[in-house]
Each structure stands twice: as C-alpha cells, then as structure tokens.
Amino acid sequence: MSRQQQESQGVVLTGYHSNAELLRKIGPRAPVSCPPAQVQEPTMPRTGHYNVQQNQNAHPADGSGPSATEGGTKTSTTDLPSLLNPSVASSPRSQPSLSPKPGSSPRHSPSPKSRPRPRTPRLRSNSQDSLDELEMDDYWKEVENITRSGGGAGRGDAGGEGEVQEEEQQKIPEEGEQEEAWLTEAGLARLFDDSLAADQDQEEDSAAFLSTLTRSQAAAVERRVTTLQQTLLRRRNRQHVPDVRDIFRPPEKHEEPTELKGGSENGQKDITSSETETELNVEVAFSEQALSYRDNHQRAKVTASPNSPDDKLPNFKLLRDKTGQTRIGDLSPLDMKKVRRLVLVESTALFDTAGIDLKADKPVKVKTKESGLFGVPLATLMEQDHRRAPGTKVPLILLRLINHIEEEGLDTEGLLRIPGAATRVKSLCQEFESSFYDGTFPWQQLKQHDAASLLKLFIRELPHPLLTVEYLHAFFAVNKLPTKKQQLQALNLLILLLPQANRDTLKALVEFFQRVIEHQAKNKMTLNNVSLIMAPNIFMFKGFRSKVTEQQEFSMATSTANIVRLLIRYQNLLWTIPKFIMTQVRHQNMERHRKQSKDRAVRKLLKKMTTDKPSEKAIPEESSQGFIRVQAPQFSKVSMAVQLTGELQAADVLTRFLSQDSSLAVKREDLCLYEIGGNIKERCLDGETYMKDLFELNPAAEWVIRAVHR
C-alpha cells in the first residue's frame, strides 16, 4: 500500500498500553509535610503507545477495495498528536513514532487498562482571553510535575505512611442532613425544628431576615424546608412541624409589598431594560436577574449553539452607585454575619435557577499538624502568625515568598511554569520549617523557580482545599451556569462565603498572579498560561486524583482553569458586596429597630405608639439644614461641620480634614470616613461615595474619621 493510500484510510483506536509498569516504584512517603525528593534521571517518561486499527469502511483514495492486508485490517502504532492533528501525520517530515513525546500530549493514566482521555471539540481562537485546546498541554505538564515531585498522590495512590487521607475529610450527608445543615447555617433552624428553645432575639432576627428575601431567595428556602419536612415525616412521626405555607404565605390583596430605596427585592427595576452585556447590575438580586434571563430565553426559544462557545472575557464593569461601593472588610463583623446568611441563600437561589443542585461535602475533623509551615491548616497557621505579627491577614510564609519573587523580578521567563529541582525544593522546604521564623533562612540563595515551586507546594499541602471542602463543588459548578455574567455573579457570592483567612489568602494570590501577567512580554506568562498552571495547584488537594476517574479529571481541567481565569481577570469586582445585599442588610437592621422600639414601648407602659418608624435619636438640626457633623476622636477633640452638596464625596471630606491640621502625621490612604449607626452598624466608605445621597439613605448615621489598616 502506498503512503498516500495509508493516509486516506480511517483508523480505529483500539487500546492504550502504558509504560507505567516500567517506571521505578516509589516507596512510601515519609510522614512529613514536605514532599519527598525524587530522582528523575533513571526513570522513564510516563508514556505509552496506542494500537490503531485501519477502518474497514474507509475508502482509499484510488477507489480500490478496503483491504490492504489479510482480513482487511492492519494493526500499527502511532502517536496521539498525529491522530488528533492529521496535518502532522501527512507532513513529509513527520515520521511514525512508537510513543508520544513526553509533554506533547495530555497526561496518560498509569493503569494499563485505562482508556485514552476523550477530547472535546473546540473552536480555535487567537484571543489571549480564550482557552485553546492545545494550550491544555500546560495543564497536564503541571499535573505531571506535581506527581513527579511527590506533591500530589497519583491515581490509585492516596499517599504513604503517616499521611492523613483526604477521604477522611469528606463525608456524604445522609438524606435530609444537607437541607438541615443549610437551614441551620442560614440561621433558620426554627423553620424545621420547633422544639428548639425559644429565643426572642433569634425569632426577631429570623423574622427580619425572612422579610427581606426576594422571590427567588424565598423559593430556595421554601424548597429546602419542604424537602426536609418530607424527609422528617418519612423518618418518624413527630410533633407539629411549621407548615411552609404558613411561613411563605402570599400577601393579601390589601397588603402592599415592601419597597426599599435603591432597587429592592420587590421594587425592582426592569431587568430587561437597556443594560448592556458588559454592565453588572448589583442593585437587583442576581437570582432574580437569572430568572428573568431564563424566562425570556424560554419564551423566545433561544438555545446556545455548541459550536459557538463564549470564550472571550467581556470587559465587565459595575453600574455606578452614588452611595458607594462596599468592599469586603468595610463592614462590622455583625453586619458581615448578616451578609453571609443572605449570600448563602442568594447563591443557592442562583444555582437553583439553572437547575443545579449543589451537594456540598461535609467536612470532618482530621488529625493535622499543630505547628510548622507546610501541611498546616490555614487557621492554625494564622494563629501562630498573629502571635508574631498581630493584624496579619495572609500567612507570613506566603507573603514572604511572593515578595521574594517580586524583588528578584517578574521578568523571568516561564515563571510559575518551569518547576524547581525536586531535590532542591525538598531541601528548601525542610530548611524553611527550621529557620523561617528565626529569620535565619538564606533568602539570597533562593532561586526564582524554586521560590515559585515552594509557593505552589504551600497551596497544595494545605490539609483542606483553599476553596474549602464545603464549597469546592460549588466552584466546580460555576461553569454550568449559562452566561459569563452569571458565572461571575456566582463567584462573587462564593468568595463572600469563604472563611476570612481563605478569602484573604486567595486575594493575595490572584493579585500576585495579575502582577506576573503584567510582565508577560518578557516572562511569556499570559492570563491563560497562569490559569492553566495554577488550576491543578489550587483544585488538586491531597488525594484528589485517587477520588476521580480520568474522564472526570479531563472534564474538570478546562473547568478549573476557567475558574482561575475569572478569579484573576475580575478580582476587582469579585471582592465586593453587591448593593442588593447591602440593601437587605439595611432593611434587616431597620426592621429589628422597629420591633425593639415597639417592645420597649409596651414593657415600659409608655404612651401609645402612633408610628412604626424606628425611634432613632433625633437628627441634628444642622443636618436638616444641609450640614453633617464629622468627628475624628483619634486625632482631634473638635468636630467639623461639612455642608452637603450634590458633588461632595467622602474623599473630599478627608482632604478637608487633613488640610485643617498640617501637624497630623497620617497619610490620606491610611484614613477612612465611617458611616456608623442608623440602618448600618459600621461601614468604611468608598472615596467616591456621594455624601448627600448616602445621607438621604441613612439620615440617622454618625460620621467618624478613623485610621484604617488594609
């Protein structure tokens, strides 16, 4: 058969034979957090060969019969890239190979019985804002580097002696247990268990919380209450459980829905108005916007084409809010607790609109290291760092590694992609454990690629995933949402749900990744490159690969890389609190003040109340005349009267304060104007907040200037 005839025939992939059995077996891992050094020179690359069978039904170019050999078939071996890219096979320079080149194709399973990982057809794109199928090689190369360095257990290898297994960290919840945990976390345990001790404050808090829920948020709560009630009734006959219809009864005809300023859950703006695709509306609940999107697309019978993936990342921006943007860390702990409860319900409602039922794993306490740097729980690490540097929000070892890499320069080609030598990284890891806190570690001898490898190792060695066991599956599910806008909204909510230490650490990482990308002209690390390299380090926690099939791992590769890509690209938007959540928090505080005022009036037998408005302290006369009184007790005993104008911003107030006393040894960026009291506990204002608009929203607030440490 001529070469031209061979190329024209189809092929059938009949099996993959791995050379993994030829690899030198690695002994059990030592019971230490640092990965064992692994000598790579004697070992063979993790490759194999595919058996390829000529297709009997393929028609040769010359129109001759289907058979060129006895039986009409011919068995041969070739490399996977040639099968996926016919232009490679047809090139006169390319010769058949018995095995694919190491690193030129995705990771191969070490199991001789494994099947080749299927590839999803994708359109090629020349944009740096899209994930290209061929670029996924960087992802699988990083997976191989992790496996060879001992930083991650391979498939079927859950770790060695002395290593806590990841399987012990997760527990599949029993029937109804997940709904019960969800309602308890949302502070709504009384909805399914009326045997709980009655606490008047908790009841008032729950009533205020429920009164602020949007249609989709209430539906999410109702759905889980109903599911749990059915489970409890099947499980046993018990005393009366509150009927969900009594909790979420429809308003009577004479009742008017509650309206809030700035776009509330019931007084919402037209979602399908002139809002462009790049604008993020944060005044209307994300789940309500998703419902509108779903209903509109169902009516219009619009279906997304599988051949036109939304690969490009839009230039999203927030709609301007004159009352100021609220960043994570700007609110008091009490209000952040309310934010978290609302975000839990809202995120669930958002996924519900797309028919995505999140099944969160239940974390179980496991035995972990109580001190050290690598393999230590994040909370434990932060506790020991706080004793040395109070106020620290990110682990000191991570900050120091980032600073060292930046001091040495971010122009190093292949930064984060090229791994450090395994033996050297192993030695450095042990040296860090013994000398980091003593200040004797020789930083001048630490090379760029070794420092980057240690940074990635630190993330992988965390006993629990950085994105937490509880919400890891929710992060995976983000890609199932139908639009990039909804994916971004879901990530915003999930970041708000993370514990503070995890959230702050993730923020420090994505900020560092962005600075690396800004030097891409020299280091050759684009947004896609960094995302592909860091995705397995963030998502592949200990024991991960022993828990998923190869097919699952392949489908998750592009998914996780896309999540990291969104986290880096939109970090300035993701670490903020949406205005509709802030509106609900203000409504809760107002409702609670109103109930407390009425109760105090009854207990003290005061005169009959004639209004339901909260009895806040009287608004100063100067405020009614267009002035506010600004105090700065940390710096001055004298308050400052400021006239409210349509253009006055919070930054202008701080500038005026500093201009009045030149002896103050404080920088403008170290000060913040706080909104305190009224319908909010405490809030550090964005410099672009328009004071007159905020005053109209919260006329009973006090205005205080304080030093702030960001």
Side-chain angles (χ1 to χ4, degrees):
M1 179 183 294
S2 67
R3 180 180 181 84
Q4 184 179 4
Q5 289 175 332
Q6 287 183 352
E7 292 172 357
S8 64
Q9 285 189 304
V11 294
V12 177
L13 196 63
T14 60
Y16 172 70
H17 300 278
S18 172
N19 294 336
E21 65 272 12
L22 301 178
L23 297 176
R24 179 174 298 176
K25 294 185 178 180
I26 307 302
R29 293 178 62 179
V32 294
S33 59
C34 296
Q38 191 168 353
V39 180
Q40 301 181 20
E41 291 75 12
T43 62
M44 296 178 59
R46 293 181 55 168
T47 60
H49 65 273
Y50 290 85
N51 283 347
V52 179
Q53 194 174 54
Q54 299 292 343
N55 191 350
Q56 299 183 39
N57 297 324
H59 299 288
D62 59 0
S64 60
S67 176
T69 59
E70 286 188 18
T73 62
K74 177 181 179 180
T75 302
S76 64
T77 58
T78 185
D79 59 339
L80 185 58
S82 299
L83 297 178
L84 298 175
N85 190 355
S87 62
V88 175
S90 61
S91 174
R93 294 185 179 181
S94 61
Q95 299 295 331
S97 173
L98 294 178
S99 63
K101 296 179 181 180
S104 63
S105 62
R107 179 193 55 79
H108 303 301
S109 169
S111 172
K113 298 181 180 181
S114 65
R115 298 179 179 177
R117 184 175 54 258
R119 289 209 177 208
T120 306
R122 286 183 174 271
L123 290 181
R124 292 296 304 272
S125 172
N126 294 326
S127 170
Q128 285 296 333
D129 289 334
S130 64
L131 283 176
D132 190 286
E133 176 67 15
L134 296 182
E135 286 182 334
M136 292 306 297
D137 278 348
D138 284 344
Y139 180 97
W140 298 114
K141 288 176 184 177
E142 181 68 11
V143 172
E144 290 295 334
N145 290 334
I146 293 173
T147 304
R148 284 199 295 262
S149 67
R155 188 173 310 285
D157 176 17
E161 182 182 356
E163 182 178 359
V164 178
Q165 303 300 318
E166 178 66 20
E167 284 79 2
E168 299 176 12
Q169 294 188 22
Q170 302 177 359
K171 176 184 177 182
I172 300 177
E174 299 177 358
E175 183 183 14
E177 187 176 2
Q178 185 169 346
E179 289 78 12
E180 183 175 339
W182 187 90
L183 290 166
T184 301
E185 187 176 2
L188 301 174
R190 289 274 297 170
L191 295 184
F192 66 86
D193 190 356
D194 56 1
S195 65
L196 295 175
D199 187 305
Q200 186 174 357
D201 289 340
Q202 289 182 358
E203 288 185 355
E204 291 177 353
D205 187 57
S206 295
F209 177 82
L210 292 171
S211 69
T212 67
L213 296 184
T214 66
R215 173 187 54 165
S216 54
Q217 290 172 354
V221 176
E222 183 176 0
R223 186 176 297 110
R224 278 141 190 86
V225 172
T226 301
T227 301
L228 183 56
Q229 286 179 344
Q230 294 172 351
T231 301
L232 293 176
L233 289 175
R234 286 196 301 268
R235 191 179 300 170
R236 61 184 183 278
N237 285 330
R238 55 168 299 162
Q239 55 190 8
H240 171 68
V241 178
D243 195 297
V244 71
R245 290 171 294 184
D246 296 334
I247 302 169
F248 298 100
R249 64 182 181 87
E252 298 179 6
K253 293 183 179 181
H254 66 276
E255 292 181 347
E256 295 294 333
T258 306
E259 295 188 2
L260 295 176
K261 296 180 180 180
S264 68
E265 67 279 357
N266 294 313
Q268 295 174 1
K269 300 179 181 179
D270 183 10
I271 300 174
T272 59
S273 60
S274 59
E275 175 182 324
T276 65
E277 283 301 310
T278 56
E279 289 180 332
L280 288 179
N281 186 346
V282 293
E283 295 188 2
V284 179
F286 297 156
S287 55
E288 294 294 321
Q289 297 180 47
L291 272 179
S292 178
Y293 173 88
R294 186 189 68 182
D295 295 342
N296 291 339
H297 280 66
Q298 284 180 346
R299 285 196 297 268
K301 296 183 180 180
V302 176
T303 57
S305 171
N307 295 323
S308 57
D310 183 13
D311 282 338
K312 293 185 178 180
L313 298 181
N315 187 25
F316 286 117
K317 61 180 180 180
L318 294 177
L319 292 177
R320 190 174 186 182
D321 178 16
K322 285 197 167 186
T323 61
Q325 186 181 83
T326 305
R327 295 156 298 187
I328 294 176
D330 287 349
L331 294 182
S332 68
L334 288 175
D335 279 338
M336 275 304 296
K337 186 177 180 181
K338 295 183 177 70
V339 166
R340 196 180 186 284
R341 292 175 61 191
L342 287 165
V343 167
L344 176 64
V345 176
E346 170 63 15
S347 60
T348 305
L350 177 59
F351 282 108
D352 282 352
T353 63
I356 302 172
D357 187 16
L358 298 178
K359 298 294 184 182
D361 285 322
K362 183 178 179 181
V364 178
K365 292 183 178 180
V366 296
K367 184 178 180 181
T368 57
K369 292 176 59 178
E370 297 180 356
S371 62
L373 298 174
F374 295 85
V376 179
L378 200 54
T380 303
L381 194 58
M382 293 308 301
E383 287 179 5
Q384 67 185 26
D385 283 353
H386 284 158
R387 292 194 292 267
R388 295 172 172 83
T392 300
K393 295 183 178 180
V394 179
L396 295 177
I397 177 63
L398 183 63
L399 286 178
R400 190 66 184 88
L401 284 171
I402 290 175
N403 290 338
H404 176 79
I405 295 173
E406 294 183 346
E407 289 170 0
E408 294 296 314
L410 297 176
D411 294 338
T412 304
E413 184 171 345
L415 186 62
L416 294 175
R417 177 173 56 82
I418 299 177
T423 53
R424 194 163 58 240
V425 171
K426 159 75 172 178
S427 176
L428 289 169
C429 176
Q430 295 175 340
E431 194 168 357
F432 264 118
E433 293 282 6
S434 61
S435 62
F436 174 73
Y437 285 123
D438 296 339
T440 58
F441 182 81
W443 288 96
Q444 67 278 5
Q445 300 178 12
L446 183 60
K447 299 180 179 180
Q448 284 285 74
H449 294 308
D450 291 342
S453 294
L454 286 167
L455 181 145
K456 294 187 290 185
L457 175 65
F458 172 82
I459 302 171
R460 294 195 308 270
E461 288 294 307
L462 289 172
H464 300 279
L466 182 61
L467 302 180
T468 72
V469 173
E470 299 94 323
Y471 300 113
L472 195 63
H473 285 117
F475 278 94
F476 283 133
V478 165
N479 287 284
K480 297 180 181 179
L481 294 171
T483 67
K484 279 286 188 292
K485 181 180 291 187
Q486 290 185 28
Q487 293 175 10
L488 192 60
Q489 292 168 339
L491 283 177
N492 185 191
L493 298 173
L494 290 174
I495 286 171
L496 287 167
L497 287 174
L498 292 177
Q500 182 177 351
N502 299 66
R503 188 170 57 229
D504 292 340
T505 300
L506 181 62
K507 184 64 163 65
L509 285 172
V510 296
E511 288 176 345
F512 168 65
F513 299 153
Q514 180 59 44
R515 293 192 291 272
V516 172
I517 294 168
E518 290 170 357
H519 291 252
Q520 62 181 277
K522 293 188 177 181
N523 61 30
K524 311 301 181 185
M525 297 299 293
T526 64
L527 173 61
N528 286 350
N529 296 140
V530 174
S531 302
L532 290 166
I533 295 300
M534 293 310 303
N537 289 281
I538 293 175
F539 284 91
M540 284 178 54
F541 53 91
K542 287 186 177 181
F544 168 82
R545 299 183 66 203
S546 65
K547 301 167 71 66
V548 298
T549 64
E550 185 168 331
Q551 173 66 25
Q552 290 174 325
E553 187 175 356
F554 173 79
S555 63
M556 289 164 60
T558 305
S559 173
T560 55
N562 181 59
I563 295 302
V564 176
R565 196 165 57 119
L566 295 177
L567 289 172
I568 299 173
R569 176 68 173 81
Y570 301 113
Q571 56 184 278
N572 292 332
L573 305 179
L574 295 176
W575 269 260
T576 60
I577 303 174
K579 184 179 179 180
F580 74 90
I581 294 289
M582 290 299 304
T583 302
Q584 290 180 288
V585 170
R586 292 183 186 275
H587 190 158
Q588 283 187 47
N589 290 332
M590 290 169 59
E591 186 70 15
R592 186 171 178 82
H593 289 327
R594 185 182 68 83
K595 289 182 176 294
Q596 289 177 345
S597 298
K598 292 178 68 174
D599 291 343
R600 282 196 301 267
V602 172
R603 287 195 301 266
K604 295 180 180 179
L605 300 177
L606 298 177
K607 61 181 180 179
K608 184 179 180 180
M609 297 184 65
T610 58
T611 179
D612 282 348
K613 294 182 180 180
S615 58
E616 302 289 352
K617 49 182 161 183
I619 301 174
E621 183 179 353
E622 60 185 11
S623 296
S624 61
Q625 297 175 356
F627 288 84
I628 58 173
R629 179 67 59 177
V630 180
Q631 303 175 15
Q634 285 183 324
F635 308 103
S636 174
K637 296 181 180 179
V638 181
S639 59
M640 177 178 65
V642 179
Q643 183 177 7
L644 293 173
T645 64
E647 299 301 319
L648 180 70
Q649 296 183 341
D652 300 328
V653 176
L654 294 175
T655 301
R656 178 176 172 182
F657 169 73
L658 289 174
S659 65
Q660 289 185 348
D661 190 350
S662 58
S663 63
L664 290 176
V666 61
K667 297 180 180 179
R668 159 68 183 82
E669 55 268 23
D670 294 332
L671 293 177
C672 185
L673 177 61
Y674 282 83
E675 169 195 6
I676 300 176
N679 53 34
I680 204 77
K681 294 294 182 184
E682 181 177 295
R683 174 179 172 234
C684 177
L685 300 183
D686 174 24
E688 297 182 357
T689 301
Y690 285 83
M691 297 304 299
K692 187 175 182 180
D693 294 88
L694 182 57
F695 172 76
E696 293 173 354
L697 179 64
N698 191 9
E702 295 181 350
W703 314 98
V704 179
I705 296 176
R706 293 179 185 168
V708 61
H709 301 285
R710 299 195 182 280

